[in-house]
Amino acid sequence: MMDLGGWLRSLGLGKYEAAFRENEIDETVLRSLTHETLKEIGVAAVGHRLKLLDAIAALRRDESQHILSAIAAPARPSAATTSAAPVADRVGERRHVTVVFCDLVGSTSISAQLDAEEWRDLVSAYLDAACAAATEMGGHVARKLGDGLMVLFGYPVAQENDAERAARAALSTQRALAAVNRKNTETGKPALNARIGIDTGPVVVDAAGEIYGDAPNVAARVQALAEPGTVVVTARVQRQIAGLFVAEERGSHELKGVPEPVTLFRLVRASGGGRRAGQRRLTPLVGRDEEIAMLMRRWERARQGDGQLVLIVGEPGIGKSRLIEEFHARLRDTPHTWAEWGCSQLLQNTPLHPIAEWGRQRFGGPDVPAERQLSDLENTLALIKLDPAENVPLLAPLLDIPLPPERRPILAPEELRHRQLAALTNWVMASARAQPVVLTLEDLHWADPTTLDLFRGIAERGALAPLFVLLTARPEFRPPWGARSHHSAISLVPLDRCQVRHMVEKLAARHALAKEVIEGVTERTGGVPLFIEEVTRLLLERNEQGGIQAIPPTLQQSLTARLDRLGPAREVAQIAAVIGRGFSYPLVRAVARMEDEALQTALERLAEADILLVQGLPPESEYRFKHALIQDAAHENLLKSRRQALHRRTGEILRDQFTATAAAEPELIAHHFTEAGLTEAAVEWWGTAGQRSLARSALLEGAEQLKRALNQIATLPVTPALRREEIKLEVAFANVLALTGDLLDGKEHYDRALAIYDPAEHRPLTTRSGRDVGVTLLSFRSNCVWQLGYPAASRNDAERAVKNAREIGHATTLVYALSRAATCYILCRNYAAAHAQLDELTALADEKGKALGALQRGWLFALTGNASDAVRAITSGMTSLRSIGATLYEPRYLWNLAMAYTELDQLDDARRCIDDAIDKVEKSKEKWCEAEVHRIAGEIALKSLAPDTEKAEKYFDRALFVARQQQAKSWELRAAMSMARLWRSQGKSQQARELLAPIYGWFTEGFDTLDLKDAKSLLDESAT
């Protein structure tokens, strides 16, 4: 338990202990304090606030050091993790910050004119004014460089509007310097001019406060290009503050050390807009039909004189403002008055700031003479039958309209406040009686106490007039007024998967995003419309290259701010982010090495903050990040060295303590070891994951996992053990490529593995691996090259495989070689040779081998007129394999069975089998036989009493398309022959020849095979 009073006294600030106690500030919320909250509890002096915030930052660094020390300690060593990822000696963190760089112009010449002490006092006054302006907006003065100043926004604590705060601080600095100059001029001192540059981006801040990254350098370069007395920002900053400031584009500039030109903008002044606007068209509204319908129903009741108040509640980005915009658009043809007020995070302690901001927009602000503003206000009040003489003196100050001294009310402060609130309420009510009014107040959670008092009165009296009050707030807000019958609430929930897809499609407009990309957006954004919009736009800007995993810059500061508000729980969020999107309590406890009480408190805080979703109670509880983006933000704020240490520890704990998880999800361990930089361990686990996926017929997943293993191996020095592992992975990867129809890449990897294979080194491993690697490679490649259109090469590989297997004298290897050789001979339609291979195989094989032999024998029977025997053999073989969970090659067995049923004129069974084969090709991704399956489906369509030629032609077309796409020349030849026969029967001999001749002409070998002989005969027949 922290001694808060002792901590304050150690800073020389013990007088604030009572204020901290009265406001219930303890160690759990201490790290969330900002300049605004310190000021609110009574820490008035800027210096004291700075001292407190620096001390809080030091506390956070100490916590980071403690946790890093814990997680960097190695777990139980293992052979697979022989070296640890390095852990940085200096603690720090990655942050997304906005950097303000301010420097005096011509300081050298001015200092030369003054005494050194006078120059010091002059610069000190400027620096004090600049620091006060920065800290008032929540900035952290990182460095003073002579007469220069660097201020960070977003460190040590981020706010969701750091870029806006930085811009306001910069403009305030220029105003403060102007005030300093006025005083200096009166005493004969020279005027000072400052230039200010602002940039935003990722940096690393170490424990000593040193900053590493491009943003500080760019801000300094931008400052050097600014004119004296101006504030210039980069395009990255402008994108985040567009609509909040009046800005002038200053063109594109080359900055030293920056590879791309940078577009700059000069900030003129704040625009008075309550929120970012005008930078893009409205986000498509999706999935809010019920909410809009409810608002319209409430509006109709309000129009009839039964006033309504609706509070729209939802997390940031969920679409509260967008819902109001859509509702406003629906009222376009209905007479009404629309008043839009908005609260600001920066002005939570400024009484009635939403009304003042609205008044400046409504009545013109400083750009319009005060007399004209007063006249406009008087006319407005007179139109709704309120006495201008009584109300203008009360309302004008609230609307930021200057009053002449003689019209200023002379009342005690409390009496004046009471009358002003009454005047505002009367104005709203009178306006509604003249014409129905919609009064919106956004971001009520940031409202100042006086604004809340005003709306308490409006909430209670609103039912008496045609008034529709529409409020928005975040879930943590609790209205200070009691519920009334005319009050309602709308709680906005995230969009479902279908709605997310619909929104992405609308945002992408004419850009067709891949289905996988859209699914990625759905997974990462958690259904939050703002997240969906920003991620989709980033994808479109980057043409889908790398965008799906990136955090959009527009969301970076708000996500970091959410994490910083968590206090100590932020550290647990970062550890959890390394573990993954979902995790169990026992796992996070093991990785974090924290006591149960502290860990459970942190996890409860994360759940309350809507960061985590939780199921069950500790120690059986399961957790999941609500949004992948918030997980990524927590992960990215960690230094790479710390990430590596955490990933290593997580991987080792999963491997050693969670063996069931390791067996079921080896890719998790592979991922953690990859991120930890433990390459050899990562290779082992990616290989395990790939083989497991292949065993479950998850071909695409297996391909990706095996590819990762091979990519990792490529970074390691060559050793005999590694070469053996590489061959094993190359075989598996080549197989999955060939099975999924990527035949050319498959053959390339077969060739690569055979080049590595050394009989002297690898044949002794046969008994341990089950069969000889070289024989296996030749057997697999035989099938692949036949499909690619090389029958002779296929036969050569198959015969070499059998020959080598006999030389090795290993039964399992020989059975495998005979099985694959039989497949080669069947594909080449040398049925006698295939029978001979299968006869020998049957004598040697075990039960599984016999089942495979029966299936191949059934294939042969189907092709040689023994259809009944084919059906028995194939159904028996499939039953045996399914009983042991072997489902690979089922599409082939089904097409063989369909052929047999066709020969027996059992066409319903044939169609059932071929439809099942087509379905399994699609689901299992066994695309290697897709062309042949569709060709046979076309042949079956022609076997009916009333042949369906149209359907057959579609199947043949599909077969040709797939074969050409895969460059599977042998399948293309068969599909072309089927189509050519159909066209000849329809009298289209010329078309048949034009289709068949090019593919036949492509072949350079195998002219003794039946397929090529049949093609030649068909071409000759088509020519006559």
Side-chain angles (χ1 to χ4, degrees):
M1 195 76 177
M2 180 181 182
D3 179 7
L4 200 60
W7 179 73
L8 287 167
R9 287 190 293 277
S10 73
L11 299 174
L13 301 174
K15 66 179 181 177
Y16 295 116
E17 182 177 357
F20 274 59
R21 301 292 182 205
E22 288 169 9
N23 288 277
E24 298 185 358
I25 294 172
D26 57 21
E27 68 273 14
T28 64
V29 297
L30 183 65
R31 292 144 189 86
S32 301
L33 292 178
T34 65
H35 278 278
E36 288 80 4
T37 51
L38 286 170
K39 188 175 180 181
E40 188 175 333
I41 67 173
V43 184
V46 172
H48 289 174
R49 296 205 298 273
L50 285 171
K51 188 180 288 188
L52 280 166
L53 289 173
D54 285 344
I56 289 168
L59 283 176
R60 293 180 70 237
R61 288 195 294 271
D62 290 345
E63 284 179 346
S64 297
Q65 177 65 66
H66 174 73
I67 290 178
L68 181 59
S69 299
I71 64 173
R76 180 167 62 83
S78 98
T81 52
T82 55
S83 61
V87 177
D89 294 327
R90 307 181 73 188
V91 180
E93 58 182 326
R94 302 173 76 88
R95 305 289 294 195
H96 194 94
V97 300
T98 301
V99 182
V100 178
F101 204 97
C102 177
D103 199 16
L104 287 180
V105 180
S107 57
T108 304
S109 60
I110 296 174
S111 65
Q113 303 170 27
L114 299 174
D115 174 75
E117 188 174 348
E118 290 178 326
W119 173 240
R120 181 203 66 183
D121 293 343
L122 197 62
V123 171
S124 295
Y126 140 71
L127 288 175
D128 288 347
C131 288
T135 55
E136 195 67 27
M137 285 291 143
H140 169 69
V141 178
R143 195 173 298 161
K144 293 180 183 178
L145 306 166
D147 53 20
L149 192 69
M150 185 168 72
V151 182
L152 303 183
F153 290 82
Y155 177 84
V157 176
Q159 301 291 339
E160 58 194 70
N161 58 347
D162 281 319
E164 177 190 353
R165 289 169 179 266
R168 291 188 186 278
L171 292 172
S172 180
T173 296
Q174 294 290 19
R175 291 194 297 271
L177 185 55
V180 169
N181 283 335
R182 284 193 292 272
K183 291 181 182 178
N184 289 340
T185 303
E186 294 170 1
T187 57
K189 295 176 183 175
L192 301 177
N193 281 304
R195 297 180 300 210
I196 300 178
I198 308 178
D199 188 37
T200 188
V203 300
V204 168
V205 186
D206 71 10
E210 289 297 319
I211 304 153
Y212 304 89
D214 291 336
N217 298 328
V218 172
R221 305 279 184 204
V222 170
Q223 171 272 140
L225 292 174
E227 297 172 1
T230 65
V231 177
V232 176
V233 304
T234 63
R236 290 193 293 193
V237 177
Q238 175 61 18
R239 274 195 292 271
Q240 297 190 33
I241 62 174
L244 295 172
F245 298 87
V246 177
E248 297 175 352
E249 186 173 342
R250 287 305 176 92
S252 184
H253 296 261
E254 300 280 350
L255 302 183
K256 186 177 179 182
V258 179
E260 299 291 331
V262 177
T263 302
L264 302 180
F265 297 81
R266 181 176 82 86
L267 297 187
V268 180
R269 57 179 171 80
S271 66
R275 62 174 186 266
R276 289 194 302 131
Q279 71 271 41
R280 61 164 63 121
R281 62 185 181 275
L282 291 179
T283 303
L285 187 73
V286 174
R288 301 299 187 213
D289 294 342
E290 292 180 14
E291 291 83 356
I292 285 290
M294 178 186 171
L295 290 178
M296 295 305 295
R297 288 195 301 271
R298 296 290 175 177
W299 163 242
E300 287 302 321
R301 293 183 65 174
R303 285 180 65 201
Q304 303 303 320
D306 184 9
Q308 300 291 308
L309 181 148
V310 177
L311 176 62
I312 303 172
V313 179
E315 63 180 292
I318 200 69
K320 301 183 292 292
S321 299
R322 182 65 185 88
L323 185 63
I324 289 179
E325 288 166 341
E326 182 66 22
F327 172 67
H328 190 189
R330 302 285 179 99
L331 305 188
R332 189 176 294 113
D333 299 326
T334 306
H336 70 284
T337 299
W338 182 278
E340 188 173 307
W341 299 352
C343 303
S344 168
Q345 187 184 17
L346 301 176
L347 302 170
Q348 295 178 63
N349 298 306
T350 302
L352 298 172
H353 71 268
I355 290 84
E357 207 55 79
W358 175 80
R360 283 188 284 272
Q361 294 180 54
R362 167 64 180 80
F363 295 100
D367 295 335
V368 175
E371 297 80 8
R372 193 190 307 170
Q373 292 186 62
L374 282 172
S375 175
D376 190 357
L377 177 59
E378 288 168 346
N379 291 336
T380 300
L381 295 172
L383 285 172
I384 57 174
K385 298 181 172 52
L386 287 181
D387 182 7
E390 178 186 348
N391 287 283
V392 166
L394 297 171
L395 294 172
L398 305 181
L399 302 169
D400 204 17
I401 298 175
L403 272 174
E406 65 275 10
R407 297 190 67 177
R408 293 171 188 165
I410 304 173
L411 295 168
E414 189 56 36
E415 177 65 17
L416 177 62
R417 179 179 181 277
H418 175 73
R419 289 196 182 186
Q420 285 179 322
L421 291 182
L424 275 170
T425 303
N426 290 336
W427 187 10
V428 171
M429 300 299 288
S431 297
R433 282 189 286 269
Q435 177 173 270
V437 167
V438 181
L439 173 59
T440 73
L441 179 66
E442 296 210 53
D443 298 321
L444 198 55
H445 46 277
W446 288 331
D448 59 273
T450 308
T451 297
L452 288 175
D453 283 346
L454 169 66
F455 273 82
R456 184 184 292 112
I458 292 173
E460 291 170 355
R461 293 180 54 191
L464 305 176
L467 173 65
F468 190 28
V469 180
L470 200 48
L471 312 171
T472 71
R474 292 182 181 175
E476 62 268 21
F477 175 76
R478 297 293 177 268
W481 51 80
R484 299 285 189 273
S485 60
H486 64 288
H487 294 180
S488 310
I490 293 175
S491 182
L492 293 181
V493 297
L495 303 181
D496 62 32
R497 299 181 77 85
C498 181
Q499 291 165 342
V500 173
R501 286 194 293 270
H502 185 44
M503 184 173 175
V504 172
E505 287 164 1
K506 281 194 167 189
L507 285 164
R510 292 180 297 275
H511 301 83
L513 294 179
K515 181 181 177 182
E516 295 77 15
V517 172
I518 295 176
E519 287 299 320
V521 174
T522 304
E523 179 65 23
R524 285 178 56 71
T525 57
V528 177
L530 177 63
F531 294 178
I532 298 165
E533 177 186 15
E534 297 297 342
V535 170
T536 303
R537 292 190 190 282
L538 189 65
L539 280 169
L540 295 173
E541 287 172 9
R542 298 184 178 183
N543 293 319
E544 301 183 34
Q545 300 301 311
I548 194 65
Q549 296 302 323
I551 299 177
T554 45
L555 299 179
Q556 191 87 47
Q557 58 187 14
S558 64
L559 293 171
T560 305
R562 286 185 70 181
L563 291 167
D564 283 354
R565 287 197 293 269
L566 298 171
R570 175 176 177 268
E571 305 291 344
V572 175
Q574 290 178 319
I575 293 170
V578 169
I579 295 172
R581 179 81 184 271
F583 54 92
S584 67
Y585 180 81
L587 179 56
V588 72
R589 179 176 58 187
V591 176
R593 286 183 167 178
M594 293 174 66
E595 296 295 328
D596 283 329
E597 183 179 357
L599 179 59
Q600 289 174 24
T601 299
L603 291 169
E604 287 169 9
R605 176 79 179 92
L606 293 172
E608 289 167 2
D610 229 16
I611 303 293
L612 293 180
L613 301 174
V614 59
Q615 184 175 358
L617 296 172
E620 306 300 325
S621 47
E622 298 284 334
Y623 300 87
R624 182 175 175 82
F625 279 95
K626 188 171 182 181
H627 310 302
L629 285 172
I630 196 79
Q631 177 199 351
D632 290 348
H635 189 265
E636 285 192 11
N637 281 353
L638 292 165
L639 289 181
K640 289 182 178 178
S641 55
R642 187 176 172 204
R643 280 186 222 163
Q644 284 188 319
L646 278 167
H647 277 295
R648 177 194 178 189
R649 180 157 177 73
T650 303
E652 291 174 341
I653 286 171
L654 281 169
R655 180 197 64 205
D656 299 338
Q657 300 177 31
F658 293 79
T659 53
T661 301
E665 301 177 86
E667 64 272 17
L668 280 181
I669 300 175
H671 162 74
H672 287 296
F673 285 152
T674 300
E675 294 299 310
L678 301 173
T679 307
E680 288 190 38
V683 168
E684 175 190 339
W685 284 93
W686 280 125
T688 300
Q691 296 287 7
R692 183 176 182 275
S693 293
L694 295 187
R696 296 164 60 224
S697 296
L699 299 181
L700 297 184
E701 294 85 348
E704 181 59 31
Q705 290 155 353
L706 293 166
K707 182 180 178 181
R708 291 192 180 198
L710 287 167
N711 288 343
Q712 296 273 315
I713 277 186
T715 67
L716 295 171
V718 177
T719 65
L722 202 61
R723 193 160 55 241
R724 290 194 293 271
E725 184 69 16
E726 185 178 2
I727 289 176
K728 182 175 72 175
L729 292 170
E730 286 283 9
V731 172
F733 188 48
N735 285 345
V736 74
L737 288 174
L739 283 167
T740 54
D742 192 350
L743 300 171
L744 284 175
D745 281 350
K747 180 182 179 298
E748 181 183 333
H749 283 274
Y750 287 133
D751 293 345
R752 190 178 299 170
L754 279 165
I756 299 170
Y757 175 75
D758 179 357
E761 181 180 351
H762 298 131
R763 276 190 179 173
L765 302 174
T766 296
T767 53
R768 288 203 296 269
S769 63
R771 56 179 180 258
D772 177 68
V773 176
V775 170
T776 302
L777 280 166
L778 287 169
S779 297
F780 276 133
R781 191 173 70 174
S782 168
N783 193 329
C784 181
V785 297
W786 180 88
Q787 292 176 78
L788 287 169
Y790 300 99
S794 174
R795 283 197 307 259
N796 183 51
D797 276 350
E799 289 164 3
R800 280 178 61 199
V802 172
K803 175 177 176 291
N804 292 347
R806 295 189 195 284
E807 290 174 0
I808 293 167
H810 183 250
T812 303
T813 299
L814 180 57
V815 166
Y816 191 77
L818 291 168
S819 172
R820 285 287 168 173
T823 299
C824 166
Y825 289 128
I826 293 171
L827 290 171
C828 292
R829 296 169 65 189
N830 185 346
Y831 303 137
H835 271 300
Q837 305 296 313
L838 292 175
D839 288 342
E840 186 176 356
L841 179 154
T842 303
L844 295 169
D846 58 13
E847 287 305 311
K848 183 179 178 182
K850 284 183 169 63
L852 289 170
L855 285 161
Q856 287 180 298
R857 189 83 71 179
W859 188 8
L860 264 176
F861 287 151
L863 292 166
T864 55
N866 299 311
S868 297
D869 292 339
V871 169
R872 282 192 295 273
I874 295 169
T875 52
S876 171
M878 288 181 69
T879 301
S880 297
L881 290 181
R882 282 175 175 172
S883 70
I884 59 172
T887 59
L888 204 60
Y889 296 112
E890 273 206 358
R892 190 187 80 190
Y893 308 148
L894 287 165
W895 109 53
N896 298 163
L897 195 54
M899 290 165 55
Y901 280 129
T902 303
E903 288 299 314
L904 295 171
D905 287 328
Q906 297 177 21
L907 295 181
D908 288 342
D909 288 331
R911 282 189 285 267
R912 174 181 53 78
C913 287
I914 204 64
D915 288 345
D916 199 6
I918 291 171
D919 184 58
K920 287 193 180 299
V921 164
E922 188 55 39
K923 288 180 178 176
S924 69
K925 306 305 177 187
E926 272 194 65
K927 300 285 188 176
W928 70 276
C929 60
E930 184 178 4
E932 183 68 350
V933 167
H934 279 87
R935 185 189 73 81
I936 290 168
E939 295 288 0
I940 293 170
L942 294 175
K943 295 293 183 180
S944 307
L945 291 174
D948 190 339
T949 56
E950 184 178 348
K951 191 173 186 179
E953 187 162 343
K954 286 181 180 178
Y955 278 127
F956 296 153
D957 260 334
R958 176 66 184 171
L960 284 165
F961 172 80
V962 171
R964 288 165 180 165
Q965 195 176 45
Q966 297 176 356
Q967 299 188 50
K969 298 298 183 180
S970 292
W971 294 137
E972 184 183 349
L973 180 69
R974 288 191 179 181
M977 284 195 288
S978 290
M979 183 74 89
R981 290 190 189 101
L982 173 61
W983 283 350
R984 282 196 70 238
S985 71
Q986 297 172 334
K988 302 175 184 176
S989 295
Q990 182 62 29
Q991 287 175 258
R993 182 173 180 79
E994 289 172 358
L995 172 68
L996 186 55
I999 180 61
Y1000 177 80
W1002 179 90
F1003 280 82
T1004 58
E1005 62 176 61
F1007 294 104
D1008 58 335
T1009 61
L1010 285 180
D1011 277 350
L1012 284 161
K1013 288 179 178 179
D1014 288 349
K1016 178 69 167 62
S1017 297
L1018 190 54
L1019 280 170
D1020 292 342
E1021 291 168 10
S1022 299
T1024 58

